[in-house]
Amino acid sequence: MDESMHAYAANVYTTVVEELMKGKQRKFIAVEQEFFRLWWDFVATDTQKQQVRQLLQEGRLEFVIGGQVMHDEAVTLIDDQILQLTEGHGFLYETFGFRPQFSWHVDPFGASATTPTLFALAGFNAHLISRIDYDLKADMQKTKKLQFVWQGSPSLSERQEIFTHVMDQYSYCTPSQLPFSNRSGFFWNGFATFPDPPKDGVYPNMSLPVTDANLHLYAQTMVANIKERAAWFQTGEVLWPWGCDKQFFNASVQYSNMDLLVDYINKHSAEFGVTVQYATVSDYFQAIYSRNLTWEIRDSQDFLPYSTESFQAWTGFYTSRSTLKGIARRASSLLYAGESFFTQYVWKHPEGSVCKCKALEQLQSLRWAVSEVQHHDGITGTESPKVKDMYMNNLMYGMFNVKKLMASIIFDINNAKKNGEVYSSVYTTGSGKTGATGVDQYVVVYNPLAWNITTFVTVSVSSEEMSVYDELGHSVPAQVQSSVESQSTYDLYILVAISGLSYRKYSIKPLDGKQSAFIGSSVKYKRRDLTRADRQRRQLFPVVNNCYQIVFDQNTNLMHSITERETNQTVQFTQEFLEYHINGDTKKGPISDNYLFAPNASAVPVSKAVGLEVMSGNLMTEIRQYFYSNVTSQDYIYAVYTRLYSVPEGYDGKLLCHRIEQEYSVGPLELNREAVLRTSTNLNTSQLLYTDNNGYQMQKRPFKAYVNNTVARNYYPMVQTAYIEDDTTRLMLLAERAHGVSSQENGQVEVMLHRRIWNNLEWNLNNNLTLNDSSVVCPVIWLILGTKAVTNTLYRTSGLALEHRPVVMFGALSASEGLVYVYVALIYAVEFLNADCKPAVRQRDKPKLPRRLQQNSVHDLPVTVPPNLHLQTLSIPGWRYSSNHAEQVRSIRMGKQKQGDADFSRVLLRIRHLYEVGEDPVLSQPVIVDLKSLLKGLGSVMAVEERSLTGTWDVNTLERWKWKTAQYPGKKFFNSTETSEDFIVTVHPKEIRTFFVYFQVQ
């Protein structure tokens, strides 16, 4: 980021602003706020800032999208998309009173159907995309169907539809080739150089300056391209994007040449049949809107996957850099917890000693880090190693800040020393080990969801003989067993039951005469040679809880079947690891890289022998399978840890019982291998797969046969959910990070878990994009098997329970001296760069915490919503802007916008309905919510304002353009949201409702 600012990004804004002031006809659009905010805060002079404000008022500088970044659409979670949009929009509105109304989503690798819905909810009037499948785009060009009204959500339908423009085959860049020159087309400033700009100002590939000698040739080339594009659209207005990646860093040379060309064409418009003007995106869409044409409707189908030619399927990035994908999601989950934790602290403890301004800075550091990694070359894993390291370091820094904040809050709430900082002890071993002599260990567990949860948390301990107690001294169900990771430690599984947005404290003590924790027993089975196994003579044994019976075969040590016990439906069920071998030499054929997946043959089984160990206990059975390259190998190359939970009477164990938890250990891979887990069943699925768009809605994925590259072109992103089903039974997969997923055969689903690739493509070598990822990755997937009706009631809440697992904090209190030892644990970035296994599962990267806690939970009145709603956001954004638009604009123009400390009085609340219309007879019903009652645990609600998705519009004044369609022939402005009265709101299927809430000051 710093290098990019130095090499070109800062110069873009400095020189563009200067050049725009020189000519009233000149215009410019800007997208990502991260670079602009850095320029604004650290580079821009007072004069330049005043000029930016003037240009925005005149409409000659326009921010489009306006998010912190241009986010990826395939592997990002809806929460994080909204976060980064909200971050950028909040800055723009607070600083300029500006609200983006158009998108420019030109570079993400495929288009999700979630995005048009989010942009509509944010108040946008039109949406612009570019990267869709090459053969589909060709067909749409021929039939002039590159523009349409997109109803991205089947449930929200026309209420949140948006006009969408797909860029033609030339995409978002000016043509880079000229028939009369070998220079770089219309890029007179050339290409940016890294790490430093050239001292003489001469950049590579600077195009020929426009002169009298070549002016007509330039004009002919430009006009010919404009006319070619015009043939693909229904109107005479052609959007001609002038720029590309890393352009306009020398806007003076760009505009001076552009002016000459524009003026020349307009003076000879009769000859050329074309007039040209500088425009913003809003200028273009306003021209199209004024045509008053009738547009076709596109339904909720997305544009994934994306291919640029038959052997260039952009489906590899669904899995690239799995560790980064996992940590980005973990950081997002921690931010979600930290936001609600801090919000409750502010309103329940107004006299608390934690500095609120500093606390907000700590949260903002993670908001920024989670926002920036959503970039379409961030969480996608398509960056170079040093850029990946930057993302990781920023995420780790932000996570440390939020953990420290949560530690400080608990410390303060529980009457710790008022004058002390929470001292942090940085260690790198990853050990959350308890059991020190004479010290009682405490585990503080925070439930960030607005539901009551019953689940297990895991703590590493030094002894089998442990007791666990709650705040009242009651014994808590727990199970201890030997650790997968270490022969010298044990894993203690503690059953926790916690109300919504509440925490509880559990004490862990060495055995004191009572046996609290069950001790798991181990049975190890002989390693089996798969090449010699007699598959006809099966030796089957079951593992059972109240919901499932999982049967394993001792002849192979592989899973054999799963029976769903309520219906007694048995599904044949086998799993195996395979690897796709891929080509790394461009001279020998298509290659895989960070972006592309191009296998050169079918996947190959990788293990010839399997070891098996079963850990059994009263609460949980863990089946440990180890996969070896042959029967004599010392080290396994893959492992699966399958956990089945049994919940004691008196606990709500519905979700726990119905999940089969699997954790995988994959790697290090050999070079040019892509690792998949293939699950085969006897379900008659006809190769039909379902995957989610961004954790928001599901897409149907029928298998498609292609002449070439069929395997790769049938891969889809699984951000959170995928499933296969037949007429009676559904198998669901829930993920805590994104993966590529496919169904290559009937009854089969395979998940790509890891990739390690090297190739000699010059562009990849020059940019260090060869993905030589030698890490070990440890993703987690939960399986749910059952009828469609049962899985419908489980998978939404289960997916969020996996995404937002409880935050676990550790603390110690010396029994002998009464001294308080408080630790904030930080597994520093270096460890995460190499492997994600330890922190991912054991939660040892959570802070070690505090002193003697009060008997009752601090959150006496929990915040809970029904199971078909999700409390998506509860935070204090800190913006200082007025929610009255006229007042906000007036104060900015008069130079009186609020300065100083953040505004802590405004709480941002979002509520999302999880179900589609008609998906479930009960859960798909609208839900009436009394906001005053819902939030009474925080205080007395005095006022509620309903806002647009990112908070910058009052929904009562938001009027989006209504585009004419055959279904709805009227053209008008429309407000599509039912506003609240007396704090009562009705949330309909798939709605996301956003509010500013104000409480009575105590």
Side-chain angles (χ1 to χ4, degrees):
M1 186 173 61
D2 293 338
E3 189 177 284
S4 293
M5 283 294 290
H6 173 67
Y8 81 96
N11 287 335
V12 171
Y13 291 108
T14 298
T15 63
V16 163
V17 169
E18 180 182 351
E19 292 304 310
L20 291 179
M21 296 303 295
K22 293 179 181 178
K24 288 285 186 182
Q25 80 283 10
R26 294 174 171 177
K27 297 190 178 184
F28 192 79
I29 62 166
V31 178
E32 295 175 318
Q33 290 308 296
E34 177 147 329
F35 283 128
F36 179 78
R37 290 172 75 171
L38 290 170
W39 177 81
W40 182 262
D41 288 341
F42 300 110
V43 178
T45 64
D46 289 342
T47 299
Q48 288 167 331
K49 290 182 177 182
Q50 186 54 44
Q51 290 170 339
V52 167
R53 290 191 169 96
Q54 178 185 333
L55 292 167
L56 285 168
Q57 288 179 27
E58 295 173 357
R60 297 197 294 116
L61 172 64
E62 179 177 64
F63 291 109
V64 288
I65 304 178
Q68 194 74 350
V69 296
M70 186 189 297
H71 68 255
D72 167 70
E73 298 193 41
V75 299
T76 47
L77 197 63
I78 184 174
D79 308 63
D80 303 324
Q81 295 177 351
I82 295 172
L83 171 71
Q84 72 86 22
L85 271 179
T86 304
E87 277 293 286
H89 286 192
F91 165 77
L92 287 174
Y93 195 55
E94 183 173 82
T95 310
F96 307 113
F98 183 87
R99 300 179 290 198
Q101 296 182 57
F102 303 94
S103 93
W104 182 260
H105 238 229
V106 295
D107 210 16
F109 320 130
S112 165
T114 302
T115 309
T117 300
L118 292 192
F119 286 166
L121 289 167
F124 286 19
N125 288 316
H127 178 38
L128 188 147
I129 63 177
S130 181
R131 292 186 184 268
I132 68 171
D133 207 74
Y134 72 103
D135 47 7
L136 177 59
K137 180 177 282 193
D139 288 342
M140 294 170 75
Q141 281 184 179
K142 289 176 188 174
T143 55
K144 294 189 177 183
K145 293 186 177 179
L146 289 168
Q147 294 172 317
F148 46 85
V149 171
W150 196 354
Q151 296 180 353
S153 165
S155 294
L156 300 179
S157 188
E158 75 280 355
R159 288 182 294 145
Q160 299 300 345
E161 68 189 16
I162 192 167
F163 182 80
T164 302
H165 172 104
V166 182
M167 302 197 90
D168 56 52
Q169 68 187 42
Y170 291 102
S171 194
Y172 61 90
C173 294
T174 316
S176 58
Q177 296 180 343
L178 301 169
F180 57 89
S181 166
N182 61 359
R183 301 284 186 91
S184 60
F186 296 83
F187 303 134
W188 291 282
N189 56 196
F191 297 134
T193 61
F194 289 78
D196 299 304
K199 292 181 179 177
D200 59 4
V202 178
Y203 286 82
N205 261 336
M206 295 177 75
S207 204
L208 292 171
V210 175
T211 63
D212 291 342
N214 62 25
L215 180 53
H216 189 74
L217 294 172
Y218 264 116
Q220 282 182 318
T221 304
M222 182 173 174
V223 168
N225 186 261
I226 289 170
K227 288 183 174 179
E228 182 184 13
R229 289 176 160 183
W232 299 327
F233 294 92
Q234 295 185 40
T235 73
E237 293 82 11
V238 177
L239 187 155
W240 207 72
W242 210 327
C244 197
D245 297 355
K246 304 180 181 69
Q247 284 295 313
F248 281 88
F249 50 83
N250 186 347
S252 175
V253 68
Q254 279 293 116
Y255 276 111
S256 61
N257 284 281
M258 292 161 68
D259 285 349
L260 292 171
L261 191 47
V262 168
D263 291 344
Y264 182 80
I265 292 173
N266 288 337
K267 286 176 182 176
H268 298 84
S269 60
E271 172 189 347
F272 289 121
V274 167
T275 58
V276 181
Q277 70 178 68
Y278 290 110
T280 61
V281 176
S282 64
D283 292 334
Y284 173 72
F285 281 123
Q286 182 67 64
I288 303 301
Y289 185 65
S290 66
R291 287 278 191 163
N292 202 23
L293 299 181
T294 299
W295 301 96
E296 289 191 4
I297 292 175
R298 180 179 178 85
D299 64 13
S300 58
Q301 186 61 45
D302 63 10
F303 290 98
L304 290 165
Y306 164 60
S307 295
T308 41
E309 58 180 65
S310 60
F311 282 106
Q312 291 184 353
W314 294 51
T315 56
F317 79 90
Y318 301 158
T319 304
S320 295
R321 300 203 190 285
S322 179
T323 298
L324 175 62
K325 285 176 166 64
I327 289 176
R329 287 273 283 273
R330 204 172 312 135
S332 169
S333 179
L334 179 64
L335 176 62
Y336 175 76
E339 296 277 19
S340 64
F341 204 66
F342 176 64
T343 301
Q344 292 184 87
Y345 175 74
V346 167
W347 286 103
K348 295 162 90 74
H349 301 273
E351 302 302 319
S353 65
V354 173
C355 174
K356 294 177 180 60
C357 291
K358 181 178 178 183
L360 195 59
E361 289 176 2
Q362 291 172 311
L363 286 166
Q364 285 170 336
S365 69
L366 191 52
R367 290 175 190 170
W368 185 291
V370 173
S371 293
E372 74 173 5
V373 80
Q374 307 311 316
H375 188 276
H376 57 274
D377 275 316
I379 196 170
T380 52
T382 54
E383 64 283 285
S384 68
K386 72 176 180 180
V387 178
K388 178 260 298 180
D389 291 349
M390 178 201 76
Y391 286 128
M392 295 285 271
N393 283 323
N394 290 349
L395 289 166
M396 293 308 305
Y397 174 71
M399 290 173 77
F400 174 64
N401 282 335
V402 171
K403 291 169 186 173
K404 190 173 182 181
L405 169 61
M406 295 180 76
S408 301
I409 289 172
I410 297 234
F411 200 61
D412 183 65
I413 288 173
N414 291 279
N415 303 311
K417 296 176 182 177
K418 296 293 182 181
N419 60 349
E421 175 85 11
V422 175
Y423 295 97
S424 62
S425 171
V426 178
Y427 63 90
T428 57
T429 64
S431 172
K433 190 163 64 174
T434 67
T437 304
V439 175
D440 284 350
Q441 301 292 323
Y442 293 90
V443 180
V444 180
V445 185
Y446 177 61
N447 169 24
L449 291 166
W451 304 312
N452 300 337
I453 64 164
T454 302
T455 191
F456 282 93
V457 296
T458 312
V459 180
S460 182
V461 294
S462 58
S463 168
E464 279 188 325
E465 298 180 333
M466 307 299 294
S467 301
V468 181
Y469 301 96
D470 65 13
E471 301 95 327
L472 300 176
H474 298 146
S475 179
V476 174
Q479 179 172 318
V480 65
Q481 60 192 42
S482 62
S483 173
V484 168
E485 295 169 6
S486 169
Q487 294 183 348
S488 61
T489 61
Y490 298 87
D491 293 332
L492 176 65
Y493 288 81
I494 305 171
L495 183 64
V496 299
I498 312 176
S499 301
L501 270 60
S502 301
Y503 71 76
R504 293 191 64 183
K505 184 265 291 185
Y506 301 89
S507 58
I508 303 170
K509 301 180 180 181
L511 190 61
D512 55 3
K514 306 176 209 170
Q515 176 62 58
S516 174
F518 302 114
I519 298 177
S521 60
S522 169
V523 177
K524 291 185 179 180
Y525 293 85
K526 181 181 178 182
R527 189 186 303 184
R528 294 299 183 180
D529 186 342
L530 297 181
T531 64
R532 307 176 70 176
D534 183 352
R535 306 212 176 210
Q536 301 304 313
R537 295 181 57 200
R538 302 189 184 281
Q539 289 183 272
L540 305 179
F541 71 92
V543 176
V544 182
N545 73 356
N546 287 334
C547 297
Y548 299 115
Q549 174 179 276
I550 305 177
V551 174
F552 288 83
D553 184 354
Q554 290 181 51
N555 273 343
T556 61
N557 286 341
L558 297 175
M559 199 180 294
H560 171 268
S561 64
I562 302 177
T563 299
E564 202 278 316
R565 297 185 65 190
E566 185 176 348
T567 61
N568 205 31
Q569 176 79 22
T570 298
V571 175
Q572 301 302 308
F573 195 100
T574 60
Q575 291 182 310
E576 61 177 335
F577 290 102
L578 303 98
E579 291 176 353
Y580 286 101
H581 294 203
I582 52 103
N583 170 47
D585 188 347
T586 56
K587 296 177 182 178
K588 295 181 179 178
I591 60 157
S592 284
D593 63 10
N594 296 48
Y595 306 89
L596 309 179
F597 174 38
N600 58 17
S602 299
V604 178
V606 292
S607 59
K608 295 180 180 176
V610 181
L612 180 68
E613 180 182 9
V614 178
M615 299 295 306
S616 300
N618 294 42
L619 300 178
M620 189 263 289
T621 300
E622 181 177 65
I623 303 97
R624 302 171 179 177
Q625 293 169 285
Y626 303 96
F627 295 77
Y628 299 85
S629 58
N630 59 65
V631 76
T632 59
S633 299
Q634 281 195 320
D635 299 319
Y636 59 86
I637 48 177
Y638 293 88
V640 183
Y641 310 108
T642 302
R643 303 180 186 104
L644 200 61
Y645 297 99
S646 298
V647 183
E649 199 171 324
Y651 288 84
D652 179 6
K654 183 178 179 182
L655 292 186
L656 256 181
C657 179
H658 277 94
R659 82 179 186 227
I660 300 168
E661 179 179 304
Q662 289 197 317
E663 176 197 343
Y664 313 101
S665 175
V666 182
L669 300 179
E670 294 181 32
L671 203 56
N672 287 342
R673 299 289 188 268
E674 314 214 22
V676 301
L677 175 74
R678 180 175 293 169
T679 300
S680 301
T681 73
N682 62 343
L683 298 178
N684 185 20
T685 65
S686 302
Q687 291 178 266
L688 179 59
L689 175 70
Y690 295 82
T691 70
D692 66 319
N693 273 164
N694 315 107
Y696 179 64
Q697 61 191 29
M698 300 303 296
Q699 293 279 346
K700 184 184 285 189
R701 309 296 193 187
F703 187 87
K704 298 176 183 178
Y706 296 93
V707 175
N708 295 305
N709 212 19
T710 294
V711 169
R713 295 185 73 178
N714 277 284
Y715 256 79
Y716 296 91
M718 173 177 64
V719 178
Q720 194 174 61
T721 309
Y723 65 84
I724 57 174
E725 64 183 15
D726 62 12
D727 292 339
T728 62
T729 306
R730 178 183 290 169
L731 171 65
M732 306 209 69
L733 288 72
L734 303 174
E736 38 78 79
R737 70 187 73 182
H739 301 277
V741 63
S742 184
S743 180
Q744 299 287 334
E745 298 289 345
N746 185 37
Q748 195 180 87
V749 59
E750 67 181 43
V751 180
M752 187 176 289
L753 299 175
H754 200 11
R755 314 177 76 218
R756 185 180 182 186
I757 295 165
W758 184 92
N759 61 73
N760 59 6
L761 185 68
E762 184 178 359
W763 192 82
N764 285 337
L765 294 175
N766 290 343
N767 293 281
N768 197 10
L769 291 175
T770 53
L771 199 65
N772 188 5
D773 184 349
S774 59
S775 66
V776 176
V777 299
C778 294
V780 173
I781 289 178
W782 290 358
L783 307 175
I784 301 176
L785 182 71
T787 63
K788 295 177 186 180
V790 168
T791 56
N792 257 348
T793 64
L794 295 171
Y795 83 98
R796 303 281 188 185
T797 45
S798 294
L800 286 163
L802 174 58
E803 186 68 32
H804 298 296
R805 285 166 285 182
V807 176
V808 181
M809 297 170 274
F810 303 95
L813 178 68
S814 169
S816 57
E817 301 179 34
L819 296 176
V820 179
Y821 297 93
V822 180
Y823 305 92
V824 176
L826 172 63
I827 313 294
Y828 215 63
V830 173
E831 182 164 340
F832 281 101
L833 297 182
N834 295 322
D836 75 331
C837 297
K838 286 184 180 178
V841 182
R842 300 303 164 213
Q843 305 193 17
R844 292 175 196 154
D845 55 319
K846 302 294 187 281
K848 277 193 160 186
L849 275 184
R851 106 182 229 152
R852 191 176 279 112
L853 297 179
Q854 298 168 357
Q855 291 293 318
N856 57 334
S857 167
V858 65
H859 305 300
D860 300 315
L861 291 171
V863 179
T864 55
V865 295
N868 52 354
L869 296 187
H870 172 43
L871 191 72
Q872 187 159 333
T873 306
L874 182 67
S875 70
I876 296 176
W879 302 312
R880 296 183 295 266
Y881 62 68
S882 170
S883 55
N884 181 296
H885 182 62
E887 183 179 304
Q888 173 67 7
V889 171
R890 184 167 56 249
S891 65
I892 287 174
R893 291 184 177 175
M894 296 177 66
K896 295 181 179 179
Q897 62 262 49
K898 297 176 184 175
Q899 302 294 329
D901 290 345
D903 181 0
F904 293 94
S905 67
R906 176 187 288 140
V907 171
L908 176 64
L909 171 71
R910 285 193 191 94
I911 299 174
R912 169 158 60 104
H913 198 299
L914 296 174
Y915 283 82
E916 299 281 2
V917 169
E919 185 178 0
D920 184 89
V922 176
L923 297 171
S924 291
Q925 296 301 313
V927 182
I928 298 173
V929 180
D930 183 337
L931 297 179
K932 200 162 190 173
S933 175
L934 174 68
L935 300 172
K936 63 185 177 184
L938 277 73
S940 178
V941 175
M942 300 303 294
V944 172
E945 301 168 355
E946 183 154 13
R947 308 294 292 185
S948 60
L949 182 71
T950 59
T952 56
W953 291 88
D954 179 341
V955 295
N956 296 301
T957 63
L958 172 58
E959 293 183 327
R960 296 196 305 114
W961 296 353
K962 177 69 177 172
W963 297 72
K964 279 177 62 176
T965 62
Q967 185 180 0
Y968 298 97
K971 174 189 165 187
K972 59 181 180 179
F973 297 103
F974 74 109
N975 181 328
S976 59
T977 305
E978 174 189 318
T979 55
S980 58
E981 294 182 10
D982 299 325
F983 310 109
I984 308 293
V985 297
T986 301
V987 187
H988 294 273
K990 299 313 288 186
E991 280 189 337
I992 304 173
R993 304 286 290 273
T994 303
F995 306 93
F996 288 162
V997 181
Y998 302 89
F999 294 92
Q1000 180 177 353
V1001 177
Q1002 299 180 38

